[in-house]
Amino acid sequence: MRDLAVTLAHGAGGKQTSELIDQVFKAHFANPALTADDAAVLTAPRGKMAMTTDGFIVSPSFFPGGNIGKLSICGTVNDLACMGARPLYLSCAFVIEEGFPMEKLEEIASAMEKTAKEAGVQIVSGDTKVAGKGQVDGVFITTTGVGEILEGVETSGAMAKPGDVVIVTGDVGRHGCTILLAREDFGIEADVTSDCAPLWGTVQDMLEVTKDIHVIRDATRGGVGTVLYEIAGQSGVGVQLDSTAVPVAPEVQGVCRMLGLEPLYLACEGRLVIVTPKEEADKVLEVLRKGKYSGNAAIIGEITAENPGRVIMTTEIGAQTVLPQPGGELLPRIC
């Protein structure tokens, strides 16, 4: 494009707006369902459908392992996947700050194209607004997704039952740690990369071996610890957690120890928390450990009838303690 940065004219609805849409967004999002009309006309799912929407304001917008574009696709696809829904369609809305580099916008759109292709989802409609200098920090993206729930699948945070086991699909806290280091506020150098990934394939693999999965949740803001408290509250059960079984990458553990952080409360963008009957656990683990994004999946605890609404953690020395509930502001703008 002739312009090296986004200008207010790109959001005015005229020639420059058309050029921006055609040369950046349409060039990367082209598919048979993408519309130039006021709304996309789509084929409806045959059975139940899931729908979700999410806003992305991550700072910085580019980080090791991804950028806000990849994150926006992963976040919405993963929310659908947690309901057992095959992602079908996405819409996306951009709010772009005047002066944002066109090259960076192109990079974001390219990441969205690549991630949507991997997830098997079509971007079918969108909106573009340009805000004045200082009104937005770079670029914000809102995505809405629709998916088709597979027949025989029902998951909910309210369905955990005593005797179920708790599984995580990989090492925890990686995304939150990556964003923390990318801000360069602490002067810490560590080789940490975000786990940001689209997880429909992971869920699909599990559902092919069993549909008897009670809860699937992605551990984004607040991390695995917050998700466990949410499940305990929704289901009216307790969670018995084995701290030694929770996978944490050594580099993430090192940063957390230096800063006094708990990895269980750092965000993930490519990890699921799964609650499934104990008799299904072995085959779920077997298929997860063959997956692209879940090779070090592990059982980290179980659901109990005792201590409803609480997460009880067994420590490295065998003592039991209540995992403190997160409070206040953890890490702002991590997604």
Side-chain angles (χ1 to χ4, degrees):
M1 297 183 70
R2 290 193 309 271
D3 301 285
L4 298 179
V6 175
T7 68
L8 289 175
H10 286 113
K15 178 183 176 183
Q16 289 91 340
T17 301
S18 297
E19 288 178 348
L20 177 66
I21 292 170
D22 289 344
Q23 296 179 30
V24 176
F25 299 128
K26 188 176 178 181
H28 287 285
F29 302 163
N31 65 75
L34 181 67
T35 184
D37 294 320
D38 287 342
V41 178
L42 308 171
T43 301
R46 293 184 298 274
K48 290 184 178 179
M49 57 183 275
M51 180 177 179
T52 186
T53 192
D54 206 351
F56 298 88
I57 59 172
V58 62
S59 176
S61 55
F62 291 78
F63 48 84
N67 61 44
I68 191 172
K70 179 182 180 181
L71 185 63
S72 69
I73 302 297
C74 291
T76 299
V77 164
N78 294 349
D79 283 348
L80 293 172
C82 286
M83 304 309 297
R86 182 192 312 277
L88 298 176
Y89 308 116
L90 292 182
S91 69
C92 57
F94 289 78
V95 180
I96 309 165
E97 183 183 21
E98 176 191 11
F100 191 76
M102 199 66 71
E103 181 182 5
K104 292 293 186 183
L105 188 61
E106 180 100 36
E107 192 174 340
I108 289 168
S110 178
M112 294 174 73
E113 174 190 18
K114 181 179 178 181
T115 310
K117 183 177 181 180
E118 180 180 355
V121 69
Q122 293 181 309
I123 300 172
V124 298
S125 64
D127 184 53
T128 304
K129 295 292 190 295
V130 178
K133 193 74 174 175
Q135 293 181 313
V136 177
D137 183 8
V139 58
F140 294 166
I141 303 175
T142 299
T143 48
T144 297
V146 175
E148 179 181 13
I149 298 176
L150 300 190
E151 187 175 355
V153 177
E154 184 179 6
T155 66
S156 169
M159 290 178 60
K161 296 176 174 59
D164 287 351
V165 299
V166 180
I167 298 171
V168 292
T169 59
D171 60 289
V172 307
R174 185 179 291 274
H175 179 74
C177 187
T178 300
I179 296 299
L180 185 69
L181 296 179
R183 291 175 184 165
E184 300 180 343
D185 292 335
F186 298 98
I188 299 173
E189 292 186 8
D191 186 16
V192 183
T193 302
S194 173
D195 59 354
C196 183
L199 299 177
W200 166 243
T202 301
V203 172
Q204 187 176 34
D205 288 346
M206 288 192 297
L207 296 178
E208 286 177 355
V209 298
T210 180
K211 290 185 171 64
D212 193 7
I213 297 175
H214 294 160
V215 185
I216 308 174
R217 296 289 292 272
D218 60 334
T220 54
R221 279 179 299 183
V224 171
T226 297
V227 165
L228 292 177
Y229 263 106
E230 289 172 351
I231 293 170
Q234 283 183 262
S235 294
V237 296
V239 177
Q240 185 69 45
L241 182 66
D242 180 1
S243 65
T244 64
V246 178
V248 183
E251 57 272 26
V252 173
Q253 189 71 266
V255 171
C256 288
R257 284 173 177 165
M258 281 191 283
L259 298 178
L261 299 174
E262 170 54 67
L264 283 166
Y265 288 134
L266 289 182
C268 308
E269 288 293 347
R271 302 291 183 254
L272 300 172
V273 175
I274 298 157
V275 178
T276 189
K278 188 172 294 185
E279 57 269 22
E280 303 293 330
D282 286 344
K283 56 187 175 183
V284 170
L285 270 180
E286 182 180 2
V287 73
L288 284 173
R289 287 172 176 168
K290 296 176 183 177
K292 181 177 180 180
Y293 300 117
S294 52
N296 60 342
I299 295 175
I300 63 169
E302 63 179 316
I303 303 299
T304 67
E306 296 78 32
N307 302 301
R310 289 188 171 187
V311 180
I312 306 299
M313 185 167 63
T314 302
T315 67
E316 293 179 358
I317 61 172
Q320 293 199 342
T321 183
V322 177
L323 183 71
Q325 284 185 281
E329 190 177 73
L330 296 173
L331 289 180
R333 294 192 56 187
I334 49 83
C335 65

